[in-house]
């Protein structure tokens, strides 16, 4: 019954708006798998919140309706429901090691298409984008090879085709 | 034309332009500039309460009895935190309130300054929206917007947090924008296709039932007229929620009484057995639905609500309609007439015969006593002795007396009944009655109270005295927190843990100490005299009605049970122990 939905929310870029959205999720007991927020239209003062959530169809409908009735919310789009969409996430990984492990880490990074953003003689910082699930697999592989730290953005998504939200 | 003025003057000018004539408030350091500006004007009357919580409830009473936005003014820190219960109450019951809170100057925000609290942080989940004004250029626009948000769509409370430097600083006034809000545009008109579907379902129904709530009251008196007309046109029965009382005249033959936990037998049985439920402006609250998986199991459900998040929240709607109750009722009536729909006479007769059978159980009957005043009897007498008047407003506190008042007092019009439904706030009734009386100086305003609840905001007797508000506080005094005691009896083996009221004040002397009239009834034969005197005297009155301490409120749907498992009286109680599932519910 539980479904994973990617929801995009266009909001006024004003103080407290993120707190309203997060407070809604915690106050009503909804799940947040990931959440990203950034201004997307400086002229109009609009930010976009991308939230990935889990819930039954009835809960997902509630989440959308509850979000939509917040005063600074302009529109709510359930990308999962609205059709095909492109979804991606960015991760930075710090992997430290020497010798074979260092070579193996670099080799696997190459297979995954991760970029090396920085290196020292004992460490790499890898940058990888793509589906959250693919990033998860990459992280698992790096664990035995000296994974020190991970930073992930959470998913962002946009619908396919020529129409905008 | 814009001219330079202080922030406080901008606030007051915006209030006047929004039609505000009354503010309920309490001064303090951060709002001194507004109080200074109030002192030198005559457009707005300020009512000084005795605690900020009382100010919000008074504003709620004002708002609900007039349909206008209630306005509150409190200081920073404790002023704002004291207002939180009232704000939550207004949010739960959809009452339009604008609450102005003082704040420390902008440069001190975040410094743990004296009387600083994160007011927007604290009130975010208990308001419809809130603002912190950090630039005086935004001040007038923010006040206008707050009023728009408070009264539009599903009404609710809005807080404007006003740092002291903003109130003192120079700025310019701007009138309300004519362009509307940039993101908040609630839908008023219902989808006509859905309304057609609803009308068709109504014409097909064999056992239809209107189930209407506070949304009809909030949509204005026109919505109540339209509902009354549609109920007559269709011949369908109608039940109302606690918040909806008055939306259909209580004397209407098609009115089945209140629905829900302490609603009438006929209403709840009709809910259970109906095949079409027409919900207009009610939200399937747990006090109405009881056990959800056995709720109206055979029915198709039409749900009209202005708030899309109310639809499919607790109960799935088959025909959802998002819109204002008045607009949808108007369109529904038009469609019903235009399509020449009419109910099947034979089937309706059968349905009404069934309902009349349920009605004949006379579920509100109680055992009269010669020696003890039954609370129901006291309310029946109040009903009879105020019956001829058209200007009666009733507020309540929360508990048994509230449910008895809902059962026994008749409301012929909307906006005459002010009670704390969603939040269940003890202490609501006295300050709410003040707000009603301020708005309707010549009306008969009665706070039906319990002795426990009324003590929660008893300090407001001082406000009542100061403004010579002739409110009547009708205390059904059973020396218990009656509803708590009833639940302890039902659920906890009669162990009355901390639910008795010891060391009560002498309410007669208490009234007198505030310059009001104190009356007491100790036996049934006292009741009429006390009520007559209470009405006759042109002063505030506390009528201390010493009622049967053991009386419980029936009928009752025990928690966790379905509508048809209703207990009609104490004799049912013993045979139907509460399920374990029901024990954990509130």
């Amino acid at each position: 019954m539980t479904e994973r939905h990617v929801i995009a929310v266009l909001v006024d870029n004003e103080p407290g708006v993120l707190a309203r959205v997060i407070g809604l999720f915690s106050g009503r007991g909804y799940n947040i798998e990931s959440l990203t927020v950034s201004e997307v239209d400086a002229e109009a003062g609009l930010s976009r919140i991308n939230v990935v959530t889990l819930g039954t169809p009835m809960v997902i409908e509630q989440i959308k309706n509850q979000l939509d009735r917040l005063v600074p919310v302009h529109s709510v789009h359930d990308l999962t429901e609205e059709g095909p969409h492109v979804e991606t996430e960015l991760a930075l990984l710090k992997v430290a090691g020497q010798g074979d492990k260092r070579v193996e880490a670099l080799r696997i990074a190459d297979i995954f298409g991760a970029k090396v953003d920085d290196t020292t003689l004992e460490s790499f910082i890898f940058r990888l984008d793509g589906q959250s699930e693919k990033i998860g697999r990459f992280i698992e592989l790096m664990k035995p090879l000296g994974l020190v730290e991970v930073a992930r953005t959470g998913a962002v998504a946009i619908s396919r085709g020529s129409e905008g939200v | 034309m814009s001219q330079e003025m202080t922030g406080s003057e901008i606030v007051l000018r915006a209030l006047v332009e929004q039609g505000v004539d009354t503010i309920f408030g309490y001064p303090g350091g951060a709002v001194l500039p507004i109080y200074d500006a109030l002192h030198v004007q005559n457009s707005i009357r300020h009512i000084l309460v005795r605690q900020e919580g009382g100010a919000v409830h008074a504003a709620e009473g004002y708002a609900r009895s007039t349909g206008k936005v209630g306005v509150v003014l409190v200081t920073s820190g404790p002023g704002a935190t004291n207002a939180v219960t009232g704000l939550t109450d207004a949010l739960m019951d959809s009452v339009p309130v604008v609450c102005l809170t003082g704040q420390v100057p902008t440069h001190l925000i975040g410094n743990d300054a004296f009387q600083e609290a994160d007011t927007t942080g604290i009130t975010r989940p208990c308001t419809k929206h809130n603002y912190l004004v950090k630039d005086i250029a935004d001040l007038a626009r923010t006040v206008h917007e707050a009023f728009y948000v408070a009264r539009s769509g599903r009404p609710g409370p809005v807080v404007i947090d006003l740092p002291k430097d903003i109130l003192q600083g120079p700025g310019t006034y701007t009138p309300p924008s004519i362009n509307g809000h940039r993101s908040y545009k609630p839908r008023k008109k219902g989808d006509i296709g859905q309304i057609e579907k609803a009308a068709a379902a109504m014409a097909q129904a064999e056992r239809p039932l209107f189930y209407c709530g506070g949304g009809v009251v909030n949509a204005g008196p026109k919505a109540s007229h339209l509902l009354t007309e549609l109920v007559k046109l269709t011949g369908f029965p109608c039940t109302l929620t606690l918040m909806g009382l008055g939306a259909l005249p209580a004397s209407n033959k098609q009115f089945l009484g209140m629905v829900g936990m302490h609603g009438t037998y006929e209403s709840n049985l009709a809910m259970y057995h109906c095949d079409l439920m027409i919900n207009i402006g009610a939200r399937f609250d747990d006090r109405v639905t009881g056990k959800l998986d056995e709720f109206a199991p055979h029915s198709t459900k039409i749900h009209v609500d202005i708030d899309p998040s109310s639809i499919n929240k607790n109960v799935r709607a088959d025909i959802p309609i998002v819109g204002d109750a008045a607009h949808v009722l108007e369109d529904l009536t038009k469609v019903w007439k235009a399509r020449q729909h009419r109910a099947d006479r034979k089937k309706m007769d059968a349905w009404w015969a069934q309902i009349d059978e349920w009605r004949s159980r006379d579920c509100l009957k109680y055992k009269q006593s010669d020696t003890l005043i039954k609370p129901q009897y006291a309310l029946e007498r109040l009903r009879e002795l105020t019956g001829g008047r058209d200007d009666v407003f009733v507020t309540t506190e929360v508990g048994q007396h509230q449910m008895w008042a809902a059962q026994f007092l008749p409301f012929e019009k909307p906006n005459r009944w002010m009670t704390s439904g969603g939040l269940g706030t003890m202490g609501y009734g006295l300050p709410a009655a003040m707000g009603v009386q301020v708005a309707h100086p010549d009306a008969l305003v009665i706070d039906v109270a319990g002795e426990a609840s009324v003590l929660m905001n008893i300090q407001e007797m001082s406000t009542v005295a100061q403004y010579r508000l002739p409110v009547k506080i009708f205390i059904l005094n059973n020396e218990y927190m009656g509803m708590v005691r009833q639940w302890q009896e039902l659920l906890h083996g009669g162990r009355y843990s901390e639910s008795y009221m010891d060391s009560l004040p002498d309410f007669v002397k208490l009234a007198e100490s505030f310059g009001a009239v104190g009356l007491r009834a100790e036996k049934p034969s006292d009741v009429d005299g006390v009520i007559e005197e209470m009405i006759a005297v042109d002063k505030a009155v506390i009528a201390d009605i010493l009622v049967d301490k053991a009386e419980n409120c029936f009928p009752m749907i025990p928690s966790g049970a379905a509508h048809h498992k209703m207990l009609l009286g104490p004799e049912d109680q013993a045979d139907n122990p509460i399920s374990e599932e029901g024990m954990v519910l509130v």
Side-chain angles (χ1 to χ4, degrees), chain B residues 89-147:
Chain B
D89 192 274
L91 183 71
M92 292 288 270
D93 286 347
S94 310
V95 187
V97 168
V98 168
C99 177
L100 308 167
T101 57
Q103 183 54 278
V104 301
T106 44
H107 69 275
L108 285 179
I109 289 178
N111 279 11
D112 298 324
F114 177 64
Q115 292 197 328
E116 181 185 356
D118 175 9
T119 300
T120 47
I122 291 168
T123 60
R124 199 171 287 127
C126 67
T127 54
K128 183 173 173 186
H129 194 52
N130 63 16
Y131 303 88
L132 168 62
V133 181
K134 291 177 97 169
D135 182 347
I136 196 162
D138 297 331
L139 182 56
R141 180 188 58 75
T142 303
V143 177
H144 294 310
E145 192 180 306
F147 276 83

Side-chain angles (χ1 to χ4, degrees), chain B residues 215-230:
Chain B
V216 178
V217 178
N218 274 340
K222 188 184 168 198
S224 296
H225 286 301
L226 287 163
L227 174 65
T228 309
E229 191 191 322
L230 186 61

Side-chain angles (χ1 to χ4, degrees), chain B residues 24-36 38 46-50 52 73-76 78-79 115:
Chain B
F24 301 90
Y26 202 104
V31 282
L32 284 178
I34 298 190
Y35 275 88
D36 203 37
L38 268 175
H46 180 272
I47 305 291
L48 176 68
V49 298
R50 296 304 186 263
E52 290 86 349
L73 171 59
V74 297
T75 195
S76 63
Q115 292 197 328

Side-chain angles (χ1 to χ4, degrees), chain A residues 12-16 19-20 28 44-46 57-58 61-62 65-66 68-74, chain B residues 124 127-131 134 145 149 154 181-184 307-316:
Chain A
D12 278 329
N13 182 15
E14 63 177 32
R20 277 179 218 289
R28 292 187 182 266
L46 287 179
M58 211 155 158
E61 185 185 341
Q62 263 298 297
N65 284 332
Q66 292 286 353
D68 206 24
R69 75 177 187 151
L70 295 178
V71 170
V73 167
H74 286 249
Chain B
R124 199 171 287 127
T127 54
K128 183 173 173 186
H129 194 52
N130 63 16
Y131 303 88
K134 291 177 97 169
E145 192 180 306
V149 170
R154 180 176 179 177
H181 197 275
R182 64 192 230 115
S183 58
Y184 185 66
D307 177 3
S309 75
S310 281
I311 290 173
N312 291 342
K313 181 173 66 180
N314 303 331
V315 171
R316 182 152 286 281

Side-chain angles (χ1 to χ4, degrees), chain A residues 23-124:
Chain A
L24 183 96
F25 276 77
S26 65
R28 292 187 182 266
Y30 306 143
N31 293 300
I32 299 180
E33 192 177 281
S34 76
L35 184 143
T36 74
V37 56
S38 182
E39 188 170 70
V40 290
D41 185 342
E43 215 166 287
L46 287 179
S47 289
R48 178 171 171 134
I49 296 172
N50 304 283
V51 57
V52 181
T53 184
L54 296 167
T56 62
M58 211 155 158
V59 167
I60 299 285
E61 185 185 341
Q62 263 298 297
I63 290 174
K64 289 185 281 185
N65 284 332
Q66 292 286 353
L67 284 169
D68 206 24
R69 75 177 187 151
L70 295 178
V71 170
V73 167
H74 286 249
S75 57
V76 177
H77 303 272
D78 184 344
L79 297 175
T80 304
E81 195 177 271
E82 285 174 17
H85 59 277
V86 175
E87 180 186 328
T88 194
E89 183 181 353
L90 182 72
L92 295 174
L93 284 82
K94 184 182 285 185
V95 179
Q98 287 176 331
D100 289 351
K101 283 191 174 176
R102 183 171 161 87
V103 176
E104 185 62 12
L106 196 59
R107 234 168 49 83
I108 293 173
D110 192 44
I111 293 166
F112 271 76
K115 301 268 187 324
V116 178
D117 265 6
D118 189 43
T119 183
T120 67
L121 292 176
E122 296 90 32
S123 68
F124 293 116

Side-chain angles (χ1 to χ4, degrees), chain A residues 102-148:
Chain A
R102 183 171 161 87
V103 176
E104 185 62 12
L106 196 59
R107 234 168 49 83
I108 293 173
D110 192 44
I111 293 166
F112 271 76
K115 301 268 187 324
V116 178
D117 265 6
D118 189 43
T119 183
T120 67
L121 292 176
E122 296 90 32
S123 68
F124 293 116
I125 294 174
F126 294 123
R127 170 159 51 99
L128 177 65
D129 61 24
Q131 292 277 333
S132 301
E133 189 263 332
K134 170 182 151 187
I135 291 172
R137 276 188 286 131
F138 185 61
I139 291 170
E140 283 307 309
L141 287 169
M142 285 299 129
K143 275 183 182 168
L145 300 176
L147 182 68
V148 174

